[in-house]
């Protein structure tokens, strides 16, 4: 049986829920206030078949928190965490793995370009669906995927969060206030 542990960590973009299995980090959820955390934990229990246990000091979560703090402080440009991909499969998993390894800090990629990279040239919209279902946002940087016409595109954490992450990475100017 899989063990799932979780914690919530404060970040400049709001509280993030982090969940891990023995394989690695399995989920990052935005806006982890009490209700959203409860709902995310219920979804995880349903999808993974086990109720997550709070364990902020578990090694995979402690390391994820450490790396997220370093990222938000500007001292980390790439996450080095074991990831559990069990919440995604097929096309979505291929796209997310390409995103995780092929789109470095401070760069962006278009939906169509990402579709091309995984050998599915007609699948730009499907890439958008994959981004929307990303179980590991920030760590698997779906914020780096933008529209080919220069638009910012959508984002599950909200457009202000996407702008803040892109500004942190130097892609967009920092907001004045």
């Amino acid at each position: 049986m899989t063990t799932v542990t979780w914690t919530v960590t404060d970040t400049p973009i709001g509280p993030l829920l982090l969940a891990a299995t023995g394989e690695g980090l399995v989920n990052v959820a935005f806006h982890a206030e009490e209700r959203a955390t409860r709902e995310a934990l219920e979804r995880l229990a349903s999808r993974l078949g086990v109720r997550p246990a709070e364990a902020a000091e578990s090694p995979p979560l402690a390391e994820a928190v450490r790396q997220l703090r370093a990222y938000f402080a500007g001292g980390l440009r790439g996450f080095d965490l074991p990831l559990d991909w069990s919440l995604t499969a097929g096309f979505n998993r291929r796209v997310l793995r390409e995103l995780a390894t092929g789109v470095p800090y401070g760069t962006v990629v278009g939906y169509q370009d990402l579709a091309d990279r995984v050998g599915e040239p007609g699948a730009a919209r499907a890439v958008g669906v994959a981004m929307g279902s990303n179980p590991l946002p920030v760590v698997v940087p779906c914020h780096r995927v933008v529209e080919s016409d220069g638009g910012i595109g959508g984002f599950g954490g909200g457009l202000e969060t996407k702008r803040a992450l892109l500004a942190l990475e130097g892609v967009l100017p920092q907001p004045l206030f």
Side-chain angles (χ1 to χ4, degrees):
M1 180 150 95
T2 300
T3 300
V4 181
T5 56
W6 69 275
T7 192
V8 171
T9 188
D10 288 322
T11 75
I13 59 169
L16 296 176
L17 177 133
L18 308 175
T21 67
E23 294 289 317
L25 192 66
V26 70
N27 194 221
V28 176
F30 291 109
H31 315 298
E33 286 85 18
E34 185 177 336
R35 180 174 176 226
T37 294
R38 186 176 57 250
E39 290 170 358
L41 293 173
E42 287 171 9
R43 280 191 307 277
L44 276 171
S46 173
R47 295 204 48 206
L48 297 174
V50 63
R51 180 140 298 297
E54 188 170 11
E57 297 307 315
S58 77
L61 293 175
E63 181 59 17
V65 167
R66 186 192 71 72
Q67 288 190 32
L68 281 163
R69 286 185 180 146
Y71 169 78
F72 284 111
L76 182 75
R77 293 179 171 250
F79 293 96
D80 184 20
L81 296 167
L83 302 178
D84 179 338
W85 295 96
S86 63
L87 294 178
T88 188
F91 175 80
N92 288 3
R93 185 182 289 184
R94 287 185 7 240
V95 168
L96 292 170
R97 283 181 179 258
E98 172 60 28
L99 179 61
T101 60
V103 183
Y105 182 98
T107 66
V108 293
V109 65
Y111 293 95
Q112 182 61 57
D113 185 36
L114 202 48
D116 292 344
R117 289 183 188 198
V118 297
E120 301 286 344
R125 286 182 189 241
V127 167
V129 172
M131 294 306 101
S133 68
N134 180 4
L136 295 160
V138 182
V139 174
V140 176
C142 53
H143 60 277
R144 296 181 190 152
V145 183
V146 297
E147 296 173 349
S148 58
D149 67 1
I152 195 167
F155 193 62
L159 291 182
E160 287 306 312
T161 299
K162 185 171 186 171
R163 285 184 187 98
L165 292 168
L166 292 173
L168 172 72
E169 295 187 12
V171 175
L172 292 176
Q174 290 285 346
L176 296 175
F177 45 87

